[in-house]
Amino acid sequence: MSYEYGKPIALVRAGLEGYKKLYGQSVLEMDSMLAKVPPHPNQIDLTHGDTTAFLPPDSAFLDFAKAVERNTEAYSAYRGSSTVRNALAPRLTKLLGVEVDPVTEVIITPGTQGALYSALSSLVGPGTIVAFPATEYFMNERIVSYLGGESIRIPTSISKDGYIEIEESNLLAASSQGASVFVFSNPNNPTGGIYSRKMCEKLALWAKNSSIAVIADQLYCRLIFDGRDFTNFCALPGMKDQTVTLLGPSKTESMSGFRVGLAVAPLKLINSMESVLSMTSLRTAGYAQHALIHWLDKDEEWLAERIELHQEIRDYLVSGLLKIPGVEVTIPAGSSYVFPDFSKVKSVNQNNYDDDFVLTKDLKLAGVLVSPGYQSGFNGRGHFRINFSQHFDSIKLAVDRIRTLVQN
Amino acid sequence: MSYEYGKPIALVRAGLEGYKKLYGQSVLEMDSMLAKVPPHPNQIDLTHGDTTAFLPPDSAFLDFAKAVERNTEAYSAYRGSSTVRNALAPRLTKLLGVEVDPVTEVIITPGTQGALYSALSSLVGPGTIVAFPATEYFMNERIVSYLGGESIRIPTSISKDGYIEIEESNLLAASSQGASVFVFSNPNNPTGGIYSRKMCEKLALWAKNSSIAVIADQLYCRLIFDGRDFTNFCALPGMKDQTVTLLGPSKTESMSGFRVGLAVAPLKLINSMESVLSMTSLRTAGYAQHALIHWLDKDEEWLAERIELHQEIRDYLVSGLLKIPGVEVTIPAGSSYVFPDFSKVKSVNQNNYDDDFVLTKDLKLAGVLVSPGYQSGFNGRGHFRINFSQHFDSIKLAVDRIRTLVQN
């Protein structure tokens, strides 16, 4: 007998074969084909923020270095160093507007992705039905499928100024189909839309009445534009006990290279999440946890400047995209994402950009690397996502290249 | 309706309820009860190595700092930075004795635990039968249960000088029960025993004839005592194509606080492992990956000294334990673990140490924190594990405390 590798069924499910109906290929196949398109010699990568354009705060590395020097926390509790959790708890309390207990309600994770995976694994098993807004972070659906759950997409609309709206009837349709978990990013990945207080209250009432656990992915909750109000979901009446809030310094603070994130959740869920984390990677890197020691600490001025700089880039980018005939785009209310709709756009070589796989491939050939719409779900059809946390010049060049590709 | 949290079945399985038969409690329950025992005011923690006793090499932090300074690899490929994989491949080739391709055969993971979880998730699904040696790293069984697989323990014996032996008939019994995956740590966690070339060849023949995928956990493969030979399993004829080798700098090099590890495996498995990693945490921390840039690089002298220092501590510890009436222990051939058998020992207060839960609890009360035998499986009954990568004085004090606890 010779050895032949057979993939476990969970991993096959994670390939999202269902996308073959619409795209002719599974998500995994499309991802790997896009990866094989040779990169442009001067490629602009807009799939993630550029940490050389917006630097992490100096304290992150200095605190990391101190932890290496002291060298007493190479091994922390699985849920994270108590020193770090104690330092963060009062600031998390202030940020979220609810009391956060450092011992029982916080877990430090390998990136916010680590928090998402642990949270979903603590809530989803075979047959669990998980509801998302129409466009959401692509990993949600992949992980839910991997865990044997089913995904339902709830229709949404988004106003020109970036507020996401969900009809009550659509929420009730999801719960009557058996949804027991709701995951939403606020600000939304990929559109940059946010949920108003009124909308959050509507969601909370629904979650309460239907006993739905909520994962509120608030990774971008500090990068909110034009002075808009932001509503922390877990601070709404009754919601703290059934909400996992995902946070982290990888975006607004550009601390992506340290790979730390965290979740605030009720004790029972924290215990389950810790059990998952102990299996996937034991704990978040001990030294890197200390890079969080000054996170959220009296940085109002620093934050205001960072918001302003991102806002300028956003405005340039959105108006540049809107000049292209046929393009539709809403103004992001937060985050560093825009998610333009190119479904009515045709390329110079007459490719139909209703197919965002083709669109993303053409953009890569033209030197602009973006995230294809299918990664945000079926409703991402004809769209792509740009992360505009970049050098301003990169965004200018990218807009030029996109325009050249599709100009009639 | 109010919200009530229900744990997914996979997480319930990971609690290893089966241990209730022997111990009256599940592993999860025992772990959490032990955690609640108040710590001694001057506790010696022997559950893991002390990174202040054996420091990481300076290059680790310096290379990390350079990566932060350069700041171009906050986001690497999911399987890890190509710069780091390229630097490591020739050294891995030398270490393992097989050609290692940096593009298709290496994945960098969040600790070696991240490699283990990704490897098991790529091989185990509901109904998969996984075989282990009688005593093994406790996370194997937990993860296999979590993934819906079943664990079989293969009886082993161990010689006084630390060589592990498995009878062919016991291997064949495992394959005829349907085992399709074999996981073994070499050196063995928790005993420090190693597998001779002859024994490895026997395992390889069995794996080949029975089409069994092998996970060789070689985390400790550089800490081998008394000049013994060490056999790399993947270098045996035909084994490269069906073996995942787990490696990392967290033990011998004390780089635990950076939380990096890696696996060498055939392409198809690397692809699956990358898919798992992308869900659990996207990638290993970008900066921390660079702490590996000088790993395994011309460090023969440094390594020889580190082995010698550990050997001295080992010899003191083993002879100290053997002076206690009733204690049995084999000399570790590698690693920094010893796994003494206290099942025939009674405490001064007449507790029966056949029950390693009671034993571990008493040791914690006496100021010595160790890993209970049940964490290495049913066959760990009456044992506990010490990690002796410690300050020599800590080991001396620990031996005194253990002796006081059980002296007649």
Side-chain angles (χ1 to χ4, degrees), chain A residues 107-167:
Chain A
I107 183 168
I108 302 172
T109 53
T112 302
Q113 179 75 23
L116 175 67
Y117 184 80
S118 304
L120 282 171
S121 300
S122 301
L123 289 163
V124 179
T128 307
I129 297 175
V130 183
F132 313 112
T135 56
E136 255 302 330
Y137 179 43
F138 75 111
M139 277 291 181
N140 292 330
E141 188 175 356
R142 197 174 282 191
I143 297 172
V144 168
S145 295
Y146 176 71
L147 295 169
E150 276 176 56
S151 297
I152 300 180
R153 298 274 176 178
I154 305 181
T156 57
S157 61
I158 182 165
S159 67
K160 283 269 176 249
D161 57 342
Y163 285 97
I164 296 175
E165 193 62 39
I166 308 183
E167 299 289 333

Side-chain angles (χ1 to χ4, degrees), chain B residues 17 48 104 150 260 312 357 365:
Chain B
E17 299 278 331
H48 56 74
T104 58
E150 276 176 55
V260 286
E312 279 175 37
F357 172 74
L365 289 167

Side-chain angles (χ1 to χ4, degrees), chain B residues 111-123:
Chain B
T112 302
Q113 179 76 23
L116 174 67
Y117 183 80
S118 304
L120 282 170
S121 300
S122 301
L123 289 164

Side-chain angles (χ1 to χ4, degrees), chain A residues 5 51 71 113 122 272 279, chain B residues 5 51 71 113 122 272 279:
Chain A
Y5 171 60
T51 56
N71 199 13
Q113 179 75 23
S122 301
S272 286
M279 290 188 279
Chain B
Y5 172 60
T51 56
N71 199 13
Q113 179 76 23
S122 301
S272 287
M279 290 187 281

Side-chain angles (χ1 to χ4, degrees), chain A residues 22 64 99 122 145 179 191 198 240 274 323 348:
Chain A
L22 191 56
F64 181 98
E99 201 63 42
S122 301
S145 295
T191 61
K198 216 177 131 192
K240 192 186 160 184
E274 184 174 43
K323 278 179 200 140
V348 280

Side-chain angles (χ1 to χ4, degrees), chain B residues 90-317:
Chain B
R91 293 178 222 145
L92 293 169
T93 297
K94 195 178 158 199
L95 176 73
L96 298 176
V98 286
E99 201 63 41
V100 176
D101 182 89
V103 179
T104 58
E105 296 175 340
V106 182
I107 184 168
I108 302 172
T109 53
T112 302
Q113 179 76 23
L116 174 67
Y117 183 80
S118 304
L120 282 170
S121 300
S122 301
L123 289 164
V124 180
T128 307
I129 298 175
V130 182
F132 313 112
T135 56
E136 255 302 331
Y137 179 43
F138 76 110
M139 276 291 180
N140 292 330
E141 188 175 355
R142 196 173 283 191
I143 297 171
V144 168
S145 295
Y146 176 71
L147 295 169
E150 276 176 55
S151 297
I152 300 180
R153 299 274 175 178
I154 305 181
T156 56
S157 61
I158 182 165
S159 68
K160 283 268 176 248
D161 57 343
Y163 284 97
I164 296 175
E165 193 62 38
I166 308 183
E167 299 289 333
E168 200 190 348
S169 58
N170 289 324
L171 292 175
L172 294 174
S175 43
S176 69
Q177 281 176 74
S180 63
V181 180
F182 177 64
V183 186
F184 77 121
S185 49
N186 187 19
N188 174 251
N189 175 354
T191 62
I194 63 171
Y195 296 79
S196 69
R197 170 163 297 271
K198 216 177 129 191
M199 186 61 228
C200 284
E201 284 166 353
K202 204 199 277 185
L203 288 170
L205 190 68
W206 169 66
K208 195 169 190 174
N209 289 339
S210 318
S211 277
I212 285 175
V214 177
I215 299 178
D217 174 355
Q218 298 192 180
L219 178 53
Y220 263 115
C221 70
R222 302 217 304 153
L223 204 61
I224 304 295
F225 301 125
D226 315 305
R228 283 173 179 81
D229 278 336
F230 180 80
T231 302
N232 288 293
F233 192 78
C234 66
L236 296 176
M239 282 303 101
K240 193 186 160 185
D241 285 346
Q242 66 194 74
T243 303
V244 183
T245 306
L246 310 181
L247 298 166
S250 291
K251 303 295 181 186
T252 307
E253 294 81 6
S254 307
M255 283 169 58
S256 336
F258 292 93
R259 205 97 209 90
V260 286
L262 59 83
V264 173
L267 170 64
K268 277 186 184 174
L269 271 165
I270 291 286
N271 286 343
S272 287
M273 290 172 72
E274 184 174 43
S275 177
V276 174
L277 178 60
S278 73
M279 290 187 281
T280 57
S281 53
L282 291 178
R283 63 181 65 75
T284 305
Y287 303 146
Q289 292 181 42
H290 282 261
L292 286 168
I293 279 277
H294 285 95
W295 186 48
L296 304 175
D297 190 19
K298 301 188 200 78
D299 62 356
E300 291 78 4
E301 264 183 60
W302 176 92
L303 181 63
E305 194 197 341
R306 190 146 282 209
I307 290 173
E308 199 188 319
L309 292 170
H310 278 89
Q311 221 166 274
E312 279 175 37
I313 300 176
R314 175 198 66 166
D315 292 343
Y316 178 91
L317 175 60

